[in-house]
Amino acid sequence: MKVTVVGAGAVGASCAEYIAIKNFASEVVLLDIKEGFAEGKAMDLMQTASLNGFDTKITGVTNDYSKTADSDICVITSGIPRKPGMTREELIGINAGIVKDVSSNLIKNSPNTIIIVVSNPMDTMTYLVHKSTDLPKNRIIGMGGALDSARFKYRLAEALEAPISDVDGMVIGGHSDTGMVPLTRLATRNSIPVSEFLSEDRLNQVMEETKVGGATLTKLLGTSAWYAPGAAVSGLVQAIACDQKKMFPCSVLLEGEYGLNDICIGAPVILGRNGIEKIVEIELNDAEKAHMQESAEGVRKTNDLL
Ligand SMILES: NC(=O)c1ccc[n+]([C@@H]2O[C@H](COP(=O)([O-])OP(=O)(O)OC[C@H]3O[C@@H](n4cnc5c(N)ncnc54)[C@H](O)[C@@H]3O)[C@@H](O)[C@H]2O)c1
């Protein structure tokens, strides 16, 4: 199993590290445009192999796509991250050009690959890969909902004063501060709806904290976060590589599901060796449906900027 990660920055390197530590891939190629940067990150990570007990071989290359040839999975994290006060949508001007270029180079060298898009604004970047390449829709996956759901579970556990492993929940919709749709109605603690333990006000607070989860960290760190994003990507990569048939909310091209067409937005999917094996359509209540439609309008506005 060969995985390429484009962008050896904060998220790319963290993602490569988690993939290696989980020890399911034979090879990870890190590629960056900055001379020597990916080589340095790869060497540093390889020097953790004996300490962390993994056999995955990590190599770094400067913009040499021939080294990425025949990758089973390619992850795109290249581009600029947001700074405090910025929205993800403001990154489109620079990141659209980068993502288009990078995806075309990746596919030239790995025509059978599955692409995971991470660069922001992620739903629009995923849509761009659809529009600018011939890859079938099951092989283009946007990562956002897996991270947003992890942040949702963190906030729920905090409110419940419970360990995170007791909590389950999912965030669908657009990967933006206003677009996320945390499904509080369906969230549970050990199969019991969280509404049995938390007031509506507290649940609304959890929902708001989840939506600005990325912005909160960007303010604290001065740049966007990387540990949880890297771990979330590695989870998707592992589900595909190990044919786990696991369910994650991912940005996927919808063709009628959730009443939406010609848009990439977060919906639950089953991930396995073919990438997106199935889009799971769950019954939403009226408020959730309205929230999803509103979220889609926001994503379409950003898509129009393309
Ligand atoms: N989808 C999500 O949930 C999520 C989460 C966190 C960050 N992000 C996004 O991921 C992206 C990366 O964030 P980061 O914090 O790792 O940024 P970073 O600046 O640390 O790393 C980005 C890297 O991309 C490289 N790069 C730029 N142009 C390139 C090109 N044409 N080819 C190859 N490499 C190139 C840069 O040299 C840099 O090393 C940002 O757009 C950020 O907003 C998305």
Side-chain angles (χ1 to χ4, degrees):
M1 175 61 50
K2 178 171 174 179
V3 182
T4 286
V5 179
V6 181
V11 177
S14 157
C15 159
E17 181 177 15
Y18 284 117
I19 291 171
I21 287 176
K22 292 178 182 177
N23 215 12
F24 60 84
S26 50
E27 194 181 350
V28 174
V29 177
L30 264 177
L31 182 146
D32 204 283
I33 202 166
K34 238 188 281 172
E35 189 68 43
F37 190 60
E39 288 85 337
K41 288 279 181 108
M43 194 186 290
D44 193 10
L45 282 170
M46 278 308 283
Q47 290 169 4
T48 70
S50 62
L51 300 163
N52 284 330
F54 63 77
D55 300 313
T56 303
K57 184 179 168 216
I58 309 171
T59 50
V61 292
T62 304
N63 225 21
D64 178 0
Y65 281 86
S66 69
K67 299 288 191 315
T68 70
D70 301 322
S71 292
D72 299 284
I73 303 169
C74 293
V75 180
I76 304 180
T77 75
S78 46
I80 53 162
R82 54 183 174 158
K83 296 278 169 234
M86 278 175 97
T87 65
R88 295 177 178 91
E89 291 69 30
E90 285 174 76
L91 306 173
I92 191 170
I94 294 178
N95 287 356
I98 295 176
V99 169
K100 190 164 178 229
D101 207 37
V102 166
S103 53
S104 141
N105 284 327
L106 287 172
I107 294 166
K108 258 183 235 154
N109 289 277
S110 305
N112 298 317
T113 197
I114 291 168
I115 290 193
I116 299 179
V117 182
V118 183
S119 310
N120 275 317
M122 182 278 296
D123 296 295
T124 297
M125 294 300 103
T126 307
Y127 185 70
L128 173 64
V129 176
H130 271 290
K131 289 287 164 194
S132 60
T133 72
D134 292 330
L135 280 196
K137 64 180 267 187
N138 60 303
R139 291 205 265 131
I140 305 174
I141 304 164
M143 193 296 288
L147 169 65
D148 301 332
S149 300
R151 288 177 172 159
F152 183 39
K153 286 181 251 192
Y154 164 78
R155 289 300 184 186
L156 278 171
E158 186 181 57
L160 289 161
E161 297 181 37
I164 292 181
S165 56
D166 261 15
V167 176
D168 204 3
M170 190 165 59
V171 177
I172 60 171
H175 178 61
S176 72
D177 296 358
T178 49
M180 285 177 213
V181 183
L183 296 173
T184 44
R185 180 180 60 91
L186 301 173
T188 60
R189 176 177 188 180
N190 291 14
S191 314
I192 304 162
V194 290
S195 56
E196 295 280 329
F197 307 105
L198 298 172
S199 67
E200 203 179 324
D201 276 359
R202 189 65 182 95
L203 275 174
N204 283 337
Q205 192 188 337
V206 165
M207 191 138 94
E208 290 314 311
E209 286 165 343
T210 302
K211 291 202 238 169
V212 297
T216 304
L217 281 162
T218 303
K219 201 166 156 205
L220 290 168
L221 297 165
T223 184
S224 69
W226 55 89
Y227 294 119
V233 180
S234 77
L236 305 194
V237 173
Q238 185 174 23
I240 298 165
C242 304
D243 198 23
Q244 287 177 327
K245 319 280 192 215
K246 266 184 88 131
M247 191 193 294
F248 289 94
C250 291
S251 192
V252 54
L253 184 75
L254 296 184
E255 292 169 307
E257 299 90 348
Y258 294 93
L260 297 169
N261 262 302
D262 192 34
I263 187 168
C264 290
I265 195 166
V269 301
I270 305 295
L271 290 186
R273 194 60 199 87
N274 299 310
I276 293 173
E277 307 246 337
K278 187 177 179 212
I279 299 174
V280 180
E281 217 173 343
I282 50 172
E283 192 60 46
L284 300 179
N285 66 22
D286 288 346
E288 290 156 354
K289 274 184 201 157
H291 200 166
M292 191 70 174
Q293 291 296 329
E294 231 176 85
S295 176
E297 274 166 39
V299 172
R300 284 195 205 285
K301 268 193 199 140
T302 313
N303 290 351
D304 288 344
L305 298 175
L306 284 175

